[in-house]
Amino acid sequence: MTARQTGSFTKVSWLFNPTRSEITSLDSGNIDDILNNADVALVNFYADWCRFSQMLHPIFEEASNVIKEEYPDKNQVVFARVDCDQHSDIAQRYRISKYPTLKLFRNGMMMKREYRGQRSVTAIADYIRQQKSNPIREVQDLEEINTADRSRRNIIGYFEQKDSDNYRTFERVANILHDDCVFLSAFGAISKAERFSGDNIIYKPPGENAPDMVYLGSLTNFDLIYAWTQDKCVPLVREITFENGEELTEEGLPFLILFHMKDDLESLEKFQQEVARQLISEKGTINFLHADCDKFRHPLLHIQKTPADCPVIAIDSFRHMYVFPDFSDLSVPGKLKQFVLDLHSGKLHREFHHGPDPTDVAPGQAIQDLASSPPESSFQKLAPSEHRYTLLREKDEL
């Protein structure tokens, strides 16, 4: 019996299960209307022939039953599904590369982070409860803001009234970005000292001495506030951990990584400055990351380094790893950018296999074909696993 035949039998038993809940089936005719009107929607992108999809169906349905008892309003929480074989246009629209994929939507807007937790009724239900919880902490005294955790990124809204368009827009933004920033609010007499020119939103960046930044646009323009807040909450150089590694690898972009000791903030700051100075135009072609040398000893060993060698800069293309020759050259104008451009042009790969390009050899110097092989990718191992998903395609990287 083939996988597709097995899937069809599973589908029949699933369809006629008397305890089955009403999961909303999405198609090109109803998807926008349903998602736009849902406060929170969890959508299961699946294929019936995929065994992981088959295993998830009853769990997803039972989680829906549990949540609907707590949130009976049909627009509060929607559990929905897309049959990607039947609706390949929707699968392409949301760039589905594996089955099953669980994506979260808020008022029609797809969240960047999909659900990657345990596939159990309890875990999925807890995840939805967390998404429905208030993402903003209301302060009762401005001293609470003065003592806020300055190792985090803090967004603070000062409003005259909670029942206002200004606050509702702020709340929408907080719902989307609460994983990246801490959101605080103050109202009425408590916030009055900070509202000398009306309602106000400020950003407190990490660091005790970092100056506040004030939002100067319209407080009812969601797009403007969201863009400003995202710019503050999602740093150009992100930290990679074992918890977010799968998510970052699935973005499909090579990694430019600084390996540094956890307390070596000076090297991190230099790297951040040079990325902003030299590589802002490359954003969207490569991910800028930093990693704890102690936690990521294994990738360092792949490039014949140890934590004692840190700080170390390397590229992981998901096929191979390449080392930036000397960290002290980081501030040399254009040096880091050329390293990235050499990845995109294929030069790094060629030189690892065949030695320097002819254009890089001094006149009269003999050209040697130095056969070598660059270290294999280490971070590719953090990508979605075939033991958990049906993967649809391999990515072709340098």
Side-chain angles (χ1 to χ4, degrees):
M1 185 179 294
T2 67
R4 287 182 182 270
Q5 287 172 328
T6 303
S8 66
F9 284 154
T10 303
K11 182 178 181 181
V12 170
S13 62
W14 164 47
L15 285 172
F16 290 100
N17 185 334
T19 63
R20 177 173 166 263
S21 68
E22 290 301 320
I23 305 294
T24 304
S25 293
L26 301 179
D27 55 42
S28 56
N30 68 5
I31 185 168
D32 291 326
D33 183 59
I34 289 173
L35 295 184
N36 288 342
N37 286 293
D39 294 342
V40 170
L42 187 63
V43 181
N44 176 16
F45 293 85
Y46 72 94
D48 276 326
W49 50 265
C50 162
R51 66 186 180 97
F52 300 110
S53 295
Q54 295 165 7
M55 293 162 64
L56 179 60
H57 283 320
I59 295 169
F60 193 69
E61 291 166 356
E62 184 56 32
S64 172
N65 287 334
V66 170
I67 288 298
K68 282 180 179 177
E69 288 185 7
E70 300 175 28
Y71 301 96
D73 185 328
K74 67 176 184 178
N75 288 332
Q76 282 186 297
V77 179
V78 170
F79 276 70
R81 63 176 175 231
V82 174
D83 182 335
C84 294
D85 276 348
Q86 297 294 321
H87 304 289
S88 59
D89 56 327
I90 298 178
Q92 291 173 7
R93 174 179 172 182
Y94 293 109
R95 299 182 180 180
I96 303 304
S97 60
K98 64 188 187 309
Y99 302 138
T101 294
L102 295 179
K103 287 190 175 290
L104 185 77
F105 293 78
R106 289 184 180 276
N107 302 112
M109 184 176 184
M110 185 181 75
M111 299 297 96
K112 186 174 182 180
R113 291 184 177 90
E114 64 189 54
Y115 178 76
R116 298 176 187 271
Q118 185 180 355
R119 290 176 189 157
S120 71
V121 173
T122 299
I124 293 174
D126 284 345
Y127 171 73
I128 293 299
R129 292 186 191 105
Q130 183 183 24
Q131 298 304 317
K132 290 296 292 179
S133 63
N134 191 344
I136 305 170
R137 179 166 69 87
E138 182 178 344
V139 302
Q140 304 303 321
D141 189 309
L142 291 185
E143 186 58 31
E144 293 180 49
I145 291 171
N146 295 332
T147 58
D149 182 356
R150 292 308 297 267
S151 68
R152 302 288 307 275
R153 298 166 184 271
N154 293 277
I155 302 287
I156 303 147
Y158 299 102
F159 303 95
E160 183 178 359
Q161 298 177 35
K162 179 179 279 191
D163 185 15
S164 65
D165 289 339
N166 287 352
Y167 180 70
R168 280 188 283 272
T169 305
F170 182 71
E171 194 172 34
R172 282 185 64 195
V173 172
N175 272 319
I176 297 168
L177 294 171
H178 63 88
D179 288 333
D180 301 294
C181 268
V182 174
F183 286 83
L184 303 144
S185 63
F187 302 95
I190 296 171
S191 66
K192 187 174 181 180
E194 297 291 338
R195 290 188 290 104
F196 45 86
S197 59
D199 289 354
N200 193 20
I201 297 174
I202 69 164
Y203 166 61
K204 284 184 177 293
E208 291 295 335
N209 300 317
D212 295 349
M213 300 181 190
V214 181
Y215 172 72
L216 300 175
S218 165
L219 291 174
T220 56
N221 188 316
F222 168 79
D223 291 334
L224 284 179
I225 297 181
Y226 175 73
W228 181 85
T229 308
Q230 183 183 46
D231 180 64
K232 304 297 180 283
C233 292
V234 182
L236 185 61
V237 178
R238 294 177 286 174
E239 181 177 12
I240 185 169
T241 65
F242 290 112
E243 289 72 29
N244 69 3
E246 181 180 284
E247 172 191 328
L248 289 172
T249 58
E250 203 172 9
E251 290 181 11
L253 300 176
F255 292 171
L256 175 67
I257 312 174
L258 168 69
F259 296 92
H260 67 105
M261 300 305 291
K262 187 175 182 179
D263 58 356
D264 180 13
L265 300 181
E266 182 181 350
S267 295
L268 175 58
E269 185 176 351
K270 287 180 181 178
F271 183 68
Q272 290 169 329
Q273 289 174 348
E274 291 306 319
V275 166
R277 183 178 294 125
Q278 299 186 40
L279 294 172
I280 195 70
S281 62
E282 296 302 312
K283 185 179 180 181
T285 69
I286 192 166
N287 269 327
F288 312 119
L289 306 170
H290 68 100
D292 185 326
C293 281
D294 279 327
K295 291 181 179 178
F296 285 92
R297 287 171 176 262
H298 187 67
L300 284 172
L301 288 174
H302 266 244
I303 53 176
Q304 300 181 342
K305 302 288 185 182
T306 70
D309 297 308
C310 289
V312 172
I313 296 173
I315 284 175
D316 191 316
S317 72
F318 298 152
R319 283 186 62 193
H320 298 294
M321 293 187 72
Y322 308 96
V323 182
F324 186 70
D326 191 339
F327 181 81
S328 62
D329 287 340
L330 177 62
S331 58
V332 175
K335 194 85 171 182
L336 188 63
K337 182 168 186 175
Q338 191 60 53
F339 182 55
V340 172
L341 294 179
D342 287 348
L343 169 76
H344 294 321
S345 70
K347 182 178 178 181
L348 290 181
H349 192 73
R350 289 195 306 273
E351 291 194 340
F352 261 100
H353 282 291
H354 306 296
D357 276 0
T359 54
D360 295 335
V361 177
Q365 182 179 342
I367 299 175
Q368 293 181 311
D369 190 6
L370 304 173
S372 65
S373 182
E376 291 185 357
S377 167
S378 183
F379 287 91
Q380 176 63 25
K381 297 178 178 64
L382 297 180
S385 168
E386 62 184 9
H387 300 296
R388 181 173 164 82
Y389 301 99
T390 299
L391 307 177
L392 299 186
R393 60 179 178 271
E394 294 290 333
K395 292 181 174 68
D396 184 20
E397 302 290 351
L398 295 170

